[in-house]
Amino acid sequence: MCSKAEVANLLESAGFSRANPYYIVQQGKIMHMSHMKDTERLSLLKEIGGTGVYEERRKESLKVMGDTETRRAQIEDMMTVIEEKLKDLDGERKELAEYMVVDKQRRWVHSIGHTSLQLGSGSLGSGCICDCTEQA
């Protein structure tokens, strides 16, 4: 329950002042207000005081915060997927680097085998120790 002074202060904060008593009030409004239930009177005072606007903006802000939280969760999910792909790609990169080293060694050994066969082809014949198709 509010005191008369609290109601007067609330009305003054909404622009109704004792200093300016000339307000136009529609016929029947005062009677209607006097017969209102407490909950209706409270909602009217909230509307006059601007708390309705506050509540509406608060709801909008909460909705925006919820949307932002949803987007953040989606971004975290995408980051998890991207990190997993990066790990896979890093593993493939390491495998490729190892393959390139082994392939370079294989080609080196292969070229040495051909060189020594070409040098000693008179004694060994035209055979090749590798499974290549070239003949010396």
Side-chain angles (χ1 to χ4, degrees), residues 55-103:
E55 289 295 327
E56 185 178 316
R57 288 185 183 166
R58 183 174 181 268
K59 286 179 186 177
E60 290 173 4
S61 296
L62 290 174
K63 183 181 181 285
V64 168
M65 286 174 56
D67 293 344
T68 303
E69 182 64 25
T70 302
R71 287 185 192 140
R72 186 190 61 79
Q74 290 173 345
I75 290 171
E76 283 182 356
D77 291 343
M78 289 190 307
M79 288 294 294
T80 302
V81 170
I82 290 171
E83 287 172 354
E84 289 174 5
K85 284 184 180 180
L86 283 175
K87 285 179 185 177
D88 291 343
L89 289 173
D90 190 46
E92 288 180 17
R93 181 189 56 83
K94 288 178 182 177
E95 287 178 14
L96 179 63
E98 290 173 7
Y99 171 78
M100 291 176 73
V101 168
V102 170
D103 187 53

Side-chain angles (χ1 to χ4, degrees), residues 96-115:
L96 179 63
E98 290 173 7
Y99 171 78
M100 291 176 73
V101 168
V102 170
D103 187 53
K104 186 175 181 180
Q105 291 173 351
R106 183 193 58 80
R107 283 187 276 129
W108 181 75
V109 168
H110 185 73
S111 68
I112 289 177
H114 276 287
T115 306

Side-chain angles (χ1 to χ4, degrees), residues 2-11 18:
C2 296
S3 68
K4 184 178 179 181
E6 290 175 345
V7 172
N9 288 336
L10 183 61
L11 291 173
R18 290 183 184 177

